Amino acid sequence: MSQQYLIPTYARQPLAFVRGEGVWLFDENGDKYMDAISGIGVCNLGHCHPAVSRTLAEQAGQLMHTSNLYRIPAQEALAQRLCDISGMQSAFFSNSGAEANEAAIKIARLYGNRNGISKPTVLVMEGSFHGRTMATLSATGNSKVQEGFTPLVEGFVRVPFNDVDAVAAHADNKDVVAILVEPVQGEGGINIPDAGYLKGLRQLCDQNDWLLMVDEIQSGNGRTGHYFACMGDNVLPDVLTTAKGLGNGFPIGACLVAGKAEGVFGPGTHGSTYGGNPLGCAAALTVVNTLTDEVVDGVAGKGERLKAAFEHALSDVPLVTEVRQKGLMIGIQLDRPCGELVNSAREAGLLINVTAGSVVRLLPPLVISDAEMQTLVDDLSAVIRSFANAQEVA
């Protein structure tokens, strides 16, 4: 087997996994690895959760796909379940997070045009990540991922993250129709805003008749200790997007709307061939029903214990400047680029990710046990300590 027939858009690790169970993955040689990144925040219930696997097998044997030209009962049930949980009013289903954010951006533009704004503009945040389609790439606040793809899609104005005053400064811009924001920036380096930030944005949106659009692609589905992170701030957005953990490995995304965004889309304004088909919705419905309050409620405590354990284990490593945490979104900030930690951790049996160049990002499955958390702390701290010692010698 060879990768020569694959377009090399990924810097792949020299691993091929053949089996998964909970927080663990097993490679072709039978070697065992802890997946501390959950397939980048996807497998919140762990790999091959029995209820999800059983649902997929049963549904695949009955009906996998019908188009959205027909009613899909599982889609209706999933939409109701997500709306009941979040307080939103209705849902559009897609295949991915990027497509969910594309739907949000189209809602903002349609909302603006219907209100007589010919150049609808969305305020987006520095350091954000919203996807790799052209519109979501243009909305993203990372110039590195935009390099070579100009001209970008117009209609986005970037402002500093966690700065309500910087957003308020655009109140006189009559082209602004919406704010698009992540409650916690994941790809940007686990950046956690101050308490009250989302509420401040909600207030500005209400004052200026803007839409508040919250990107919960990574922070949703229990990841921060609430089903959606904005619920922890008691903020109801006009648009809420989610994906990743929604299918626990099956690709599905959703764009939920409420308030001023309800009724913007109608027949013919948007669509998706595969989005919300019977197989995807059956899987997601099982995920949502399995992510019980007990599982979600335990996330905050697990995250706080992990943060405290890492702070203690790495307290004498001067390269580590901060441990940031919201639920089970954890960022270990180093004072220098540390991408090579990914390889070192892999050799120690840990799958991690380094983002923003110098932040070790951890998104372990929400079902991780206390014993597994201790293994993660012990093994990763040893890897970081070894990296720090090597830096001192160099």
Side-chain angles (χ1 to χ4, degrees), residues 50-77:
V52 181
S53 297
R54 185 167 53 250
T55 293
L56 282 167
E58 291 174 355
Q59 186 63 46
Q62 295 175 359
L63 181 66
M64 288 196 283
H65 177 80
T66 62
S67 79
N68 282 293
L69 294 176
Y70 311 101
R71 290 184 59 188
I72 301 173
Q75 186 181 115
E76 296 169 8

PDB file of all heavy atoms in Angstrom, residues 50-77:
ATOM      1  N   PRO A  50     -20.723   1.282  22.010  1.00  0.00           N
ATOM      2  CA  PRO A  50     -21.623   0.185  21.630  1.00  0.00           C
ATOM      3  C   PRO A  50     -22.987   0.650  21.136  1.00  0.00           C
ATOM      4  O   PRO A  50     -23.516   0.104  20.156  1.00  0.00           O
ATOM      5  CB  PRO A  50     -21.743  -0.632  22.922  1.00  0.00           C
ATOM      6  CG  PRO A  50     -20.499  -0.324  23.677  1.00  0.00           C
ATOM      7  CD  PRO A  50     -20.156   1.097  23.361  1.00  0.00           C
ATOM      8  N   ALA A  51     -23.581   1.647  21.781  1.00  0.00           N
ATOM      9  CA  ALA A  51     -24.921   2.088  21.380  1.00  0.00           C
ATOM     10  C   ALA A  51     -24.896   2.716  19.989  1.00  0.00           C
ATOM     11  O   ALA A  51     -25.803   2.491  19.175  1.00  0.00           O
ATOM     12  CB  ALA A  51     -25.463   3.087  22.406  1.00  0.00           C
ATOM     13  N   VAL A  52     -23.850   3.491  19.690  1.00  0.00           N
ATOM     14  CA  VAL A  52     -23.755   4.139  18.381  1.00  0.00           C
ATOM     15  C   VAL A  52     -23.473   3.105  17.297  1.00  0.00           C
ATOM     16  O   VAL A  52     -24.092   3.122  16.221  1.00  0.00           O
ATOM     17  CB  VAL A  52     -22.665   5.234  18.399  1.00  0.00           C
ATOM     18  CG1 VAL A  52     -22.587   5.931  17.039  1.00  0.00           C
ATOM     19  CG2 VAL A  52     -22.930   6.252  19.504  1.00  0.00           C
ATOM     20  N   SER A  53     -22.562   2.188  17.571  1.00  0.00           N
ATOM     21  CA  SER A  53     -22.246   1.141  16.587  1.00  0.00           C
ATOM     22  C   SER A  53     -23.469   0.281  16.289  1.00  0.00           C
ATOM     23  O   SER A  53     -23.738  -0.075  15.134  1.00  0.00           O
ATOM     24  CB  SER A  53     -21.097   0.264  17.106  1.00  0.00           C
ATOM     25  OG  SER A  53     -19.912   1.019  17.255  1.00  0.00           O
ATOM     26  N   ARG A  54     -24.216  -0.044  17.334  1.00  0.00           N
ATOM     27  CA  ARG A  54     -25.413  -0.878  17.161  1.00  0.00           C
ATOM     28  C   ARG A  54     -26.467  -0.148  16.324  1.00  0.00           C
ATOM     29  O   ARG A  54     -27.064  -0.731  15.411  1.00  0.00           O
ATOM     30  CB  ARG A  54     -25.976  -1.255  18.537  1.00  0.00           C
ATOM     31  CG  ARG A  54     -27.155  -2.221  18.493  1.00  0.00           C
ATOM     32  CD  ARG A  54     -27.462  -2.787  19.875  1.00  0.00           C
ATOM     33  NE  ARG A  54     -27.653  -1.750  20.880  1.00  0.00           N
ATOM     34  CZ  ARG A  54     -26.800  -1.499  21.882  1.00  0.00           C
ATOM     35  NH1 ARG A  54     -25.704  -2.210  22.011  1.00  0.00           N
ATOM     36  NH2 ARG A  54     -27.050  -0.543  22.758  1.00  0.00           N
ATOM     37  N   THR A  55     -26.654   1.133  16.611  1.00  0.00           N
ATOM     38  CA  THR A  55     -27.619   1.928  15.835  1.00  0.00           C
ATOM     39  C   THR A  55     -27.238   1.978  14.366  1.00  0.00           C
ATOM     40  O   THR A  55     -28.088   1.807  13.472  1.00  0.00           O
ATOM     41  CB  THR A  55     -27.703   3.357  16.397  1.00  0.00           C
ATOM     42  OG1 THR A  55     -28.267   3.307  17.701  1.00  0.00           O
ATOM     43  CG2 THR A  55     -28.566   4.246  15.513  1.00  0.00           C
ATOM     44  N   LEU A  56     -25.957   2.242  14.099  1.00  0.00           N
ATOM     45  CA  LEU A  56     -25.508   2.332  12.705  1.00  0.00           C
ATOM     46  C   LEU A  56     -25.728   1.015  11.970  1.00  0.00           C
ATOM     47  O   LEU A  56     -26.175   0.992  10.815  1.00  0.00           O
ATOM     48  CB  LEU A  56     -24.026   2.734  12.656  1.00  0.00           C
ATOM     49  CG  LEU A  56     -23.748   4.223  12.886  1.00  0.00           C
ATOM     50  CD1 LEU A  56     -22.261   4.458  13.141  1.00  0.00           C
ATOM     51  CD2 LEU A  56     -24.216   5.051  11.692  1.00  0.00           C
ATOM     52  N   ALA A  57     -25.408  -0.096  12.640  1.00  0.00           N
ATOM     53  CA  ALA A  57     -25.569  -1.402  11.992  1.00  0.00           C
ATOM     54  C   ALA A  57     -27.043  -1.687  11.702  1.00  0.00           C
ATOM     55  O   ALA A  57     -27.401  -2.140  10.602  1.00  0.00           O
ATOM     56  CB  ALA A  57     -24.975  -2.501  12.879  1.00  0.00           C
ATOM     57  N   GLU A  58     -27.893  -1.392  12.687  1.00  0.00           N
ATOM     58  CA  GLU A  58     -29.322  -1.668  12.506  1.00  0.00           C
ATOM     59  C   GLU A  58     -29.925  -0.767  11.423  1.00  0.00           C
ATOM     60  O   GLU A  58     -30.680  -1.231  10.564  1.00  0.00           O
ATOM     61  CB  GLU A  58     -30.054  -1.481  13.834  1.00  0.00           C
ATOM     62  CG  GLU A  58     -29.701  -2.544  14.879  1.00  0.00           C
ATOM     63  CD  GLU A  58     -30.316  -2.269  16.236  1.00  0.00           C
ATOM     64  OE1 GLU A  58     -30.950  -1.199  16.409  1.00  0.00           O
ATOM     65  OE2 GLU A  58     -30.147  -3.112  17.136  1.00  0.00           O
ATOM     66  N   GLN A  59     -29.571   0.532  11.464  1.00  0.00           N
ATOM     67  CA  GLN A  59     -30.137   1.464  10.485  1.00  0.00           C
ATOM     68  C   GLN A  59     -29.622   1.157   9.082  1.00  0.00           C
ATOM     69  O   GLN A  59     -30.365   1.259   8.097  1.00  0.00           O
ATOM     70  CB  GLN A  59     -29.800   2.911  10.870  1.00  0.00           C
ATOM     71  CG  GLN A  59     -30.474   3.955  10.001  1.00  0.00           C
ATOM     72  CD  GLN A  59     -31.989   3.934  10.106  1.00  0.00           C
ATOM     73  OE1 GLN A  59     -32.541   3.867  11.201  1.00  0.00           O
ATOM     74  NE2 GLN A  59     -32.671   3.983   8.967  1.00  0.00           N
ATOM     75  N   ALA A  60     -28.334   0.773   8.984  1.00  0.00           N
ATOM     76  CA  ALA A  60     -27.760   0.440   7.670  1.00  0.00           C
ATOM     77  C   ALA A  60     -28.465  -0.757   7.050  1.00  0.00           C
ATOM     78  O   ALA A  60     -28.533  -0.883   5.820  1.00  0.00           O
ATOM     79  CB  ALA A  60     -26.266   0.168   7.800  1.00  0.00           C
ATOM     80  N   GLY A  61     -28.996  -1.631   7.894  1.00  0.00           N
ATOM     81  CA  GLY A  61     -29.712  -2.782   7.383  1.00  0.00           C
ATOM     82  C   GLY A  61     -31.143  -2.488   6.985  1.00  0.00           C
ATOM     83  O   GLY A  61     -31.810  -3.341   6.389  1.00  0.00           O
ATOM     84  N   GLN A  62     -31.620  -1.285   7.350  1.00  0.00           N
ATOM     85  CA  GLN A  62     -33.009  -0.928   7.028  1.00  0.00           C
ATOM     86  C   GLN A  62     -33.092   0.122   5.918  1.00  0.00           C
ATOM     87  O   GLN A  62     -33.742  -0.074   4.901  1.00  0.00           O
ATOM     88  CB  GLN A  62     -33.705  -0.391   8.288  1.00  0.00           C
ATOM     89  CG  GLN A  62     -33.842  -1.439   9.384  1.00  0.00           C
ATOM     90  CD  GLN A  62     -34.430  -0.845  10.655  1.00  0.00           C
ATOM     91  OE1 GLN A  62     -34.710   0.348  10.730  1.00  0.00           O
ATOM     92  NE2 GLN A  62     -34.606  -1.670  11.667  1.00  0.00           N
ATOM     93  N   LEU A  63     -32.411   1.258   6.139  1.00  0.00           N
ATOM     94  CA  LEU A  63     -32.469   2.364   5.180  1.00  0.00           C
ATOM     95  C   LEU A  63     -31.356   3.352   5.500  1.00  0.00           C
ATOM     96  O   LEU A  63     -31.300   3.891   6.604  1.00  0.00           O
ATOM     97  CB  LEU A  63     -33.827   3.073   5.281  1.00  0.00           C
ATOM     98  CG  LEU A  63     -34.056   4.243   4.330  1.00  0.00           C
ATOM     99  CD1 LEU A  63     -34.096   3.773   2.875  1.00  0.00           C
ATOM    100  CD2 LEU A  63     -35.345   4.983   4.697  1.00  0.00           C
ATOM    101  N   MET A  64     -30.469   3.573   4.533  1.00  0.00           N
ATOM    102  CA  MET A  64     -29.361   4.503   4.785  1.00  0.00           C
ATOM    103  C   MET A  64     -29.672   5.911   4.311  1.00  0.00           C
ATOM    104  O   MET A  64     -29.317   6.891   4.932  1.00  0.00           O
ATOM    105  CB  MET A  64     -28.081   3.996   4.113  1.00  0.00           C
ATOM    106  CG  MET A  64     -27.485   2.785   4.803  1.00  0.00           C
ATOM    107  SD  MET A  64     -25.784   2.451   4.323  1.00  0.00           S
ATOM    108  CE  MET A  64     -26.032   1.696   2.727  1.00  0.00           C
ATOM    109  N   HIS A  65     -30.319   6.008   3.143  1.00  0.00           N
ATOM    110  CA  HIS A  65     -30.460   7.343   2.561  1.00  0.00           C
ATOM    111  C   HIS A  65     -31.791   7.506   1.843  1.00  0.00           C
ATOM    112  O   HIS A  65     -32.217   6.614   1.111  1.00  0.00           O
ATOM    113  CB  HIS A  65     -29.315   7.602   1.562  1.00  0.00           C
ATOM    114  CG  HIS A  65     -29.422   8.939   0.868  1.00  0.00           C
ATOM    115  ND1 HIS A  65     -29.032  10.117   1.469  1.00  0.00           N
ATOM    116  CD2 HIS A  65     -29.889   9.276  -0.356  1.00  0.00           C
ATOM    117  CE1 HIS A  65     -29.241  11.124   0.638  1.00  0.00           C
ATOM    118  NE2 HIS A  65     -29.771  10.650  -0.475  1.00  0.00           N
ATOM    119  N   THR A  66     -32.425   8.626   2.107  1.00  0.00           N
ATOM    120  CA  THR A  66     -33.443   9.162   1.192  1.00  0.00           C
ATOM    121  C   THR A  66     -33.123  10.638   1.063  1.00  0.00           C
ATOM    122  O   THR A  66     -32.498  11.225   1.947  1.00  0.00           O
ATOM    123  CB  THR A  66     -34.883   9.002   1.713  1.00  0.00           C
ATOM    124  OG1 THR A  66     -35.009   9.741   2.933  1.00  0.00           O
ATOM    125  CG2 THR A  66     -35.229   7.540   1.943  1.00  0.00           C
ATOM    126  N   SER A  67     -33.505  11.248  -0.008  1.00  0.00           N
ATOM    127  CA  SER A  67     -33.205  12.664  -0.175  1.00  0.00           C
ATOM    128  C   SER A  67     -34.118  13.494   0.705  1.00  0.00           C
ATOM    129  O   SER A  67     -35.107  12.997   1.259  1.00  0.00           O
ATOM    130  CB  SER A  67     -33.384  13.078  -1.638  1.00  0.00           C
ATOM    131  OG  SER A  67     -34.762  13.265  -1.915  1.00  0.00           O
ATOM    132  N   ASN A  68     -33.777  14.764   0.796  1.00  0.00           N
ATOM    133  CA  ASN A  68     -34.603  15.691   1.565  1.00  0.00           C
ATOM    134  C   ASN A  68     -35.859  16.115   0.805  1.00  0.00           C
ATOM    135  O   ASN A  68     -36.549  17.055   1.214  1.00  0.00           O
ATOM    136  CB  ASN A  68     -33.767  16.901   1.984  1.00  0.00           C
ATOM    137  CG  ASN A  68     -32.871  16.586   3.181  1.00  0.00           C
ATOM    138  OD1 ASN A  68     -33.345  16.343   4.280  1.00  0.00           O
ATOM    139  ND2 ASN A  68     -31.575  16.545   2.952  1.00  0.00           N
ATOM    140  N   LEU A  69     -36.154  15.428  -0.300  1.00  0.00           N
ATOM    141  CA  LEU A  69     -37.441  15.639  -0.981  1.00  0.00           C
ATOM    142  C   LEU A  69     -38.574  14.977  -0.210  1.00  0.00           C
ATOM    143  O   LEU A  69     -39.752  15.199  -0.512  1.00  0.00           O
ATOM    144  CB  LEU A  69     -37.385  15.082  -2.397  1.00  0.00           C
ATOM    145  CG  LEU A  69     -36.420  15.784  -3.365  1.00  0.00           C
ATOM    146  CD1 LEU A  69     -36.393  15.052  -4.697  1.00  0.00           C
ATOM    147  CD2 LEU A  69     -36.805  17.239  -3.557  1.00  0.00           C
ATOM    148  N   TYR A  70     -38.188  14.149   0.772  1.00  0.00           N
ATOM    149  CA  TYR A  70     -39.195  13.403   1.526  1.00  0.00           C
ATOM    150  C   TYR A  70     -39.002  13.636   3.021  1.00  0.00           C
ATOM    151  O   TYR A  70     -37.928  14.026   3.474  1.00  0.00           O
ATOM    152  CB  TYR A  70     -39.089  11.899   1.213  1.00  0.00           C
ATOM    153  CG  TYR A  70     -39.043  11.635  -0.259  1.00  0.00           C
ATOM    154  CD1 TYR A  70     -37.841  11.358  -0.899  1.00  0.00           C
ATOM    155  CD2 TYR A  70     -40.208  11.735  -1.036  1.00  0.00           C
ATOM    156  CE1 TYR A  70     -37.797  11.148  -2.266  1.00  0.00           C
ATOM    157  CE2 TYR A  70     -40.166  11.533  -2.396  1.00  0.00           C
ATOM    158  CZ  TYR A  70     -38.964  11.241  -3.012  1.00  0.00           C
ATOM    159  OH  TYR A  70     -38.921  11.058  -4.366  1.00  0.00           O
ATOM    160  N   ARG A  71     -40.014  13.357   3.801  1.00  0.00           N
ATOM    161  CA  ARG A  71     -39.904  13.451   5.248  1.00  0.00           C
ATOM    162  C   ARG A  71     -38.946  12.372   5.755  1.00  0.00           C
ATOM    163  O   ARG A  71     -38.917  11.251   5.232  1.00  0.00           O
ATOM    164  CB  ARG A  71     -41.273  13.293   5.909  1.00  0.00           C
ATOM    165  CG  ARG A  71     -42.208  14.461   5.685  1.00  0.00           C
ATOM    166  CD  ARG A  71     -43.501  14.269   6.463  1.00  0.00           C
ATOM    167  NE  ARG A  71     -43.263  14.140   7.906  1.00  0.00           N
ATOM    168  CZ  ARG A  71     -44.202  13.818   8.790  1.00  0.00           C
ATOM    169  NH1 ARG A  71     -45.441  13.598   8.370  1.00  0.00           N
ATOM    170  NH2 ARG A  71     -43.917  13.720  10.074  1.00  0.00           N
ATOM    171  N   ILE A  72     -38.166  12.719   6.765  1.00  0.00           N
ATOM    172  CA  ILE A  72     -37.231  11.778   7.384  1.00  0.00           C
ATOM    173  C   ILE A  72     -37.500  11.803   8.889  1.00  0.00           C
ATOM    174  O   ILE A  72     -37.100  12.744   9.588  1.00  0.00           O
ATOM    175  CB  ILE A  72     -35.770  12.174   7.077  1.00  0.00           C
ATOM    176  CG1 ILE A  72     -35.533  12.192   5.557  1.00  0.00           C
ATOM    177  CG2 ILE A  72     -34.792  11.220   7.772  1.00  0.00           C
ATOM    178  CD1 ILE A  72     -34.188  12.733   5.130  1.00  0.00           C
ATOM    179  N   PRO A  73     -38.229  10.808   9.403  1.00  0.00           N
ATOM    180  CA  PRO A  73     -38.636  10.850  10.817  1.00  0.00           C
ATOM    181  C   PRO A  73     -37.478  11.024  11.797  1.00  0.00           C
ATOM    182  O   PRO A  73     -37.605  11.769  12.776  1.00  0.00           O
ATOM    183  CB  PRO A  73     -39.338   9.490  11.003  1.00  0.00           C
ATOM    184  CG  PRO A  73     -39.885   9.180   9.634  1.00  0.00           C
ATOM    185  CD  PRO A  73     -38.844   9.679   8.677  1.00  0.00           C
ATOM    186  N   ALA A  74     -36.359  10.350  11.542  1.00  0.00           N
ATOM    187  CA  ALA A  74     -35.221  10.483  12.476  1.00  0.00           C
ATOM    188  C   ALA A  74     -34.686  11.911  12.472  1.00  0.00           C
ATOM    189  O   ALA A  74     -34.221  12.424  13.499  1.00  0.00           O
ATOM    190  CB  ALA A  74     -34.116   9.501  12.098  1.00  0.00           C
ATOM    191  N   GLN A  75     -34.753  12.584  11.320  1.00  0.00           N
ATOM    192  CA  GLN A  75     -34.295  13.970  11.234  1.00  0.00           C
ATOM    193  C   GLN A  75     -35.202  14.875  12.063  1.00  0.00           C
ATOM    194  O   GLN A  75     -34.740  15.772  12.774  1.00  0.00           O
ATOM    195  CB  GLN A  75     -34.295  14.418   9.766  1.00  0.00           C
ATOM    196  CG  GLN A  75     -33.715  15.784   9.542  1.00  0.00           C
ATOM    197  CD  GLN A  75     -33.766  16.192   8.073  1.00  0.00           C
ATOM    198  OE1 GLN A  75     -34.470  17.145   7.730  1.00  0.00           O
ATOM    199  NE2 GLN A  75     -33.044  15.485   7.225  1.00  0.00           N
ATOM    200  N   GLU A  76     -36.503  14.630  11.970  1.00  0.00           N
ATOM    201  CA  GLU A  76     -37.447  15.431  12.749  1.00  0.00           C
ATOM    202  C   GLU A  76     -37.239  15.215  14.245  1.00  0.00           C
ATOM    203  O   GLU A  76     -37.276  16.159  15.039  1.00  0.00           O
ATOM    204  CB  GLU A  76     -38.874  15.068  12.334  1.00  0.00           C
ATOM    205  CG  GLU A  76     -39.182  15.428  10.876  1.00  0.00           C
ATOM    206  CD  GLU A  76     -40.491  14.837  10.373  1.00  0.00           C
ATOM    207  OE1 GLU A  76     -41.242  14.265  11.195  1.00  0.00           O
ATOM    208  OE2 GLU A  76     -40.777  14.947   9.167  1.00  0.00           O
ATOM    209  N   ALA A  77     -36.992  13.958  14.634  1.00  0.00           N
ATOM    210  CA  ALA A  77     -36.772  13.655  16.055  1.00  0.00           C
ATOM    211  C   ALA A  77     -35.477  14.289  16.554  1.00  0.00           C
ATOM    212  O   ALA A  77     -35.422  14.826  17.681  1.00  0.00           O
ATOM    213  CB  ALA A  77     -36.733  12.134  16.253  1.00  0.00           C
TER     214      ALA A  77
END
